[in-house]
Amino acid sequence: MAGETIRTVCAGRTDAGVHALRQVVHFDSAARRPLSAWVRGTNAHLPAALAVRSATAVADSFHARYGAASRRYRYLLYRSAVRHPLLAQRAGWSFREIDVARMRAAAAALVGEHDFSAFRSAQCQAASPVRRLEELSLCERGPFVVFTFVANAFLHHMIRNIVGSLLAVGEGRRDPPWLAELLAGRDRTLAAATFAPDGLYLDGAQYDEHYGVPSWSAGDDALLEALR
C-alpha cells in the first residue's frame, strides 16, 4: 500500500558483525498481495547481502520474538596458522592447535537450565540470567569447527563469551572442569574475553507447528552443507 509504514519485529537481535542465515520477521499490513510479491517486491529494495527467502500469512497471535520456543545459533571457527582473507568477517579464527574433544567435555556442563551470569555481558538488559541451553555441540569440517547452540533464549554476548572460554580449554590454557566452575561461580570477570562476532550466525527460530512458519531441520543445514 503506497505510503504505508510497516513496523517489523525480528525473532532475535544480533550484534554488529554477527550474521543471520534464517531470521524470522513479522509485520502487520492492510495490503493484499500474493506471497510471491512480498518476496520479490521486498528484495527489490534490499542490498545484495540481504534477501527475503519466503513469506507466509500467519494468525494475528503470531509474534516473531515472543512466540519463539527456541533459537539456534552457529559459530564458525577457522583453524589455521595463517588467517584466510576470504573468510574475513565470515568466520572466527584461531592460529593455535585446538583439541575439540576437550572442548566437548567442557561444553557438556553448560547444557540444561542454568544461571548464565558468568557468560553475560555487563550491558545485558534481560530480566533474568537463567536460560535453558538445549544443545551445545561441536563438529569438525576440515579446518573448521562449527559450534551449534540451541536455547529458549540467549543473553547479550552469551554465545561469544562461551566460545571464548571453550577455546581457552581447547587450546590447553584451561582444563575442561573450568567451564563448570565458571558456571557455578556466576562471575563474568573470571571467564575468557568475548570472542569475535565474525563467525556467529543466527540460524532460525522454532514456533508452534500450527503457525506454519518454517525453521531449521536436521536435513536442512545450509552452513554445514557449504563446508562439505
Side-chain angles (χ1 to χ4, degrees), residues 8 20 30 32-34 79 118 121 134 152 158 164 166 201 208 212:
T8 60
R32 294 292 178 265
R33 297 187 177 94
R79 304 170 292 182
S121 162
E134 301 167 8
N152 60 332
M158 175 176 162
L166 285 175
Y201 295 78
D208 191 290

Side-chain angles (χ1 to χ4, degrees), residues 70-72 132-135 148-152 154 216:
S70 59
R71 297 166 175 83
R72 180 167 79 169
R132 185 182 67 256
L133 187 58
E134 301 167 8
E135 178 185 348
T148 298
F149 295 81
V150 178
N152 60 332
F154 292 91
W216 75 83

Side-chain angles (χ1 to χ4, degrees), residues 49-219:
L50 183 65
V52 175
R53 302 294 301 277
S54 66
T56 186
V58 292
D60 290 342
S61 59
F62 178 81
H63 196 285
R65 181 180 178 189
Y66 299 125
S70 59
R71 297 166 175 83
R72 180 167 79 169
Y73 281 84
R74 321 302 286 276
Y75 195 95
L76 179 61
L77 177 73
Y78 177 62
R79 304 170 292 182
S80 175
V82 180
R83 63 178 176 83
H84 196 306
L86 295 183
L87 294 174
Q89 301 180 340
R90 292 293 179 266
W93 169 54
S94 175
F95 59 86
R96 297 183 174 93
E97 292 290 329
I98 296 174
D99 188 325
V100 176
R102 283 170 57 90
M103 292 196 293
R104 286 197 181 102
L110 304 185
V111 176
E113 185 169 278
H114 305 287
D115 180 328
F116 283 93
S117 293
F119 306 102
R120 180 185 190 181
S121 162
Q123 290 76 43
C124 183
Q125 299 177 358
S128 169
V130 177
R131 294 292 185 268
R132 185 182 67 256
L133 187 58
E134 301 167 8
E135 178 185 348
L136 201 183
S137 59
L138 296 83
C139 71
E140 299 180 77
R141 290 288 190 274
F144 297 98
V145 179
V146 180
F147 301 73
T148 298
F149 295 81
V150 178
N152 60 332
F154 292 91
L155 302 169
H156 189 218
H157 286 175
M158 175 176 162
I159 295 175
R160 292 167 57 197
N161 291 337
I162 291 175
V163 170
S165 293
L166 285 175
L167 282 174
V169 172
E171 293 168 356
R173 292 179 283 126
R174 296 284 187 172
D175 292 324
W178 181 58
L179 265 290
E181 296 169 7
L182 288 176
L183 185 68
R186 303 178 184 178
D187 186 345
R188 172 70 190 102
T189 64
L190 299 179
T194 304
F195 205 60
D198 308 58
L200 185 55
Y201 295 78
L202 171 62
D203 195 22
Q206 288 191 329
Y207 303 87
D208 191 290
E209 290 183 359
H210 80 270
Y211 286 121
V213 175
S215 186
W216 75 83
S217 65

